[in-house]
Amino acid sequence: MHSIYERIEYLIKRQGLTKKAFSEQLKISTGNMGDWKRGKSTPGTHKLIEIAAFFDVSLDWLILGKQNANTLKESGEDYFFGQIRQPNCQTDELLPKEKEFIKEYIEFTNYRKHKANGEGSL
């Protein structure tokens, strides 16, 4: 799988969804999906975060294809907030307020995913 679209397509199939159901749940137009497939564009940052949270996979894997598909989810706080950083990325530490926002966003996204799947509360 060389492209982001191919990884998204793989996740859709692995989840047992149709592309239409996936698109509806994440509010992605068929035009955008087509553009991603043809390589005309890629999902924006917010949409990539939402897709990764929806499928419970890492952004590294979704964007770059890094890691094994069976170990897609990050675990622990170190990935987000530890001293591990990617080259040429943000070098300043996140403020506690920013860390809390990220945690809340992830929790909210998981809540929306479970609610959309009819699973009720977490």
Side-chain angles (χ1 to χ4, degrees):
M1 290 178 277
H2 299 287
S3 71
I4 292 171
Y5 178 80
E6 289 172 324
R7 285 184 283 282
I8 293 170
E9 193 172 54
Y10 165 79
L11 292 168
I12 292 168
K13 288 178 186 175
R14 188 178 85 168
Q15 191 79 17
L17 295 170
T18 64
K19 289 179 191 174
K20 181 179 179 180
F22 165 75
S23 297
E24 288 174 355
Q25 287 185 29
L26 273 76
K27 297 182 179 22
I28 300 169
S29 73
T30 54
N32 280 342
M33 289 287 287
D35 287 347
W36 299 348
K37 184 175 184 173
R38 289 186 296 281
K40 282 183 72 175
S41 67
T42 57
T45 305
H46 292 338
K47 193 53 74 176
L48 286 168
I49 292 169
E50 193 175 341
I51 292 168
F54 180 81
F55 288 114
D56 209 17
V57 299
S58 75
L59 285 170
D60 282 345
W61 184 83
L62 184 60
I63 297 169
L64 303 171
K66 290 186 176 183
Q67 295 184 349
N68 181 327
N70 295 324
T71 59
L72 299 177
K73 186 175 187 322
E74 278 90 16
S75 61
E77 188 171 290
D78 287 344
Y79 181 84
F80 290 108
F81 306 124
Q83 295 300 314
I84 302 168
R85 291 196 179 91
Q86 298 176 14
N88 302 322
C89 285
Q90 178 177 342
T91 57
D92 298 333
E93 276 299 312
L94 292 173
L95 298 172
K97 183 178 174 182
E98 294 168 322
K99 291 178 184 180
E100 189 59 34
F101 174 80
I102 292 169
K103 288 179 187 177
E104 288 176 9
Y105 183 79
I106 291 168
E107 289 173 15
F108 174 72
T109 304
N110 282 328
Y111 167 79
R112 283 185 44 203
K113 179 176 84 171
H114 290 289
K115 188 174 179 182
N117 290 335
E119 297 174 18
S121 62
L122 295 175

